């Protein structure tokens, strides 16, 4: 089973960008950790029939009423948790690990920080970053594969605009 995890799309229009639409077409589940921003954007993802989602802090009030703050779902025998604001930093993931244990999940997908992370301990913590508005990274999503209870997760960089810091640091590297 293939799951595409994404978050922080911050789209205002109801069209999934072509830079990652093919990845969504080729998966079984789309796990969105919030910040669609508008109902129109949410509807574009919901129309795929594959969406599991929570609301984020930037979602409009209609989405906050429609979507839960936390969600747990089963994917091929693996319990996956979905939240938007699991923590404010990926430098110390201890609170995220405790949240995953509290939710009783094997995998916790979270958003809000716009920077990708896959960390494995007794639970797997995944922040897909942002495919449209990254911070300190390139645009990304995470592809999760579940096969007979075994989980693998890989950060997938996609086309799009990197954050200004990344562009600046690459420019400096090119000057050497």
């Amino acid at each position: 089973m293939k799951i595409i995890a994404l978050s922080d799309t911050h789209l205002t229009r109801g069209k999934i960008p072509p830079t990652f639409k093919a990845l969504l077409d080729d998966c079984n589940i789309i796990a969105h950790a919030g910040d669609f921003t508008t109902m129109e954007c949410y509807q574009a993802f919901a129309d795929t029939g594959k969406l599991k989602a929570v609301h984020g802090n930037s979602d409009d009030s209609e989405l906050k009423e429609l979507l839960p703050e936390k969600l747990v779902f089963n994917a091929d025998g693996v319990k996956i948790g979905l939240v938007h604001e699991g923590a404010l930093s990926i430098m110390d993931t201890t609170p995220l690990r405790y949240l995953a244990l509290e939710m009783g999940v094997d995998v916790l997908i979270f958003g809000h920080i716009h920077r990708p992370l896959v960390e494995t301990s007794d639970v797997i913590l995944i922040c897909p970053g942002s495919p449209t508005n990254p911070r300190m990274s390139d645009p990304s999503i995470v592809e999760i594969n579940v096969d007979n209870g075994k989980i693998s997760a890989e950060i997938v960089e996609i086309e799009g605009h990197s954050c200004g810091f990344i562009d600046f640091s690459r420019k400096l590297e090119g000057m050497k």
Side-chain angles (χ1 to χ4, degrees):
M1 172 173 288
K2 186 187 294 186
I3 302 165
I4 295 296
L6 71 161
S7 183
D8 299 285
T9 46
H10 292 276
L11 299 172
T12 55
R13 295 181 11 196
K15 186 174 180 187
I16 297 171
T19 54
F20 58 91
K21 186 174 182 333
L23 293 167
L24 301 181
D25 291 341
D26 188 40
C27 73
N28 303 98
I29 296 173
I30 299 167
H32 197 299
D35 276 1
F36 294 94
T37 308
T38 65
M39 181 59 83
E40 189 178 3
C41 174
Y42 162 77
Q43 197 60 55
F45 287 94
D47 286 347
T48 66
K50 305 175 187 183
L51 183 63
K52 306 281 187 192
V54 294
H55 70 76
N57 62 300
S58 293
D59 287 325
D60 66 24
S61 59
E62 190 177 8
L63 283 171
K64 287 179 180 176
E65 289 179 26
L66 175 69
L67 298 172
E69 183 178 342
K70 296 179 185 175
L71 178 70
V72 175
F73 65 94
N74 193 302
D76 213 14
V78 173
K79 286 181 79 174
I80 299 175
L82 197 55
V83 299
H84 183 66
E85 290 184 67
L88 298 177
S89 168
I90 57 173
M91 303 314 260
D92 178 10
T93 58
T94 304
L96 291 161
R97 180 181 165 271
Y98 283 123
L99 179 59
L101 294 172
E102 192 178 284
M103 291 174 70
V105 297
D106 305 300
V107 177
L108 179 64
I109 301 168
F110 64 98
H112 192 58
I113 54 178
H114 296 228
R115 188 173 175 189
L117 167 84
V118 174
E119 182 177 293
T120 303
S121 60
D122 52 340
V123 295
I124 299 173
L125 304 175
I126 296 173
C127 181
S130 173
T132 56
N133 192 15
R135 292 183 190 141
M136 305 295 282
S137 65
D138 290 309
S140 63
I141 60 164
V142 171
E143 181 179 312
I144 304 165
N145 286 290
V146 180
D147 185 20
N148 291 322
K150 293 184 181 173
I151 308 158
S152 64
E154 178 183 353
I155 297 167
V156 179
E157 288 184 5
I158 58 172
E159 286 183 40
H161 297 289
S162 299
C163 81
F165 174 79
I166 296 295
D167 289 338
F168 177 71
S169 65
R170 287 183 178 141
K171 186 176 178 180
L172 287 178
E173 283 294 317
M175 296 172 88
K176 287 183 180 181

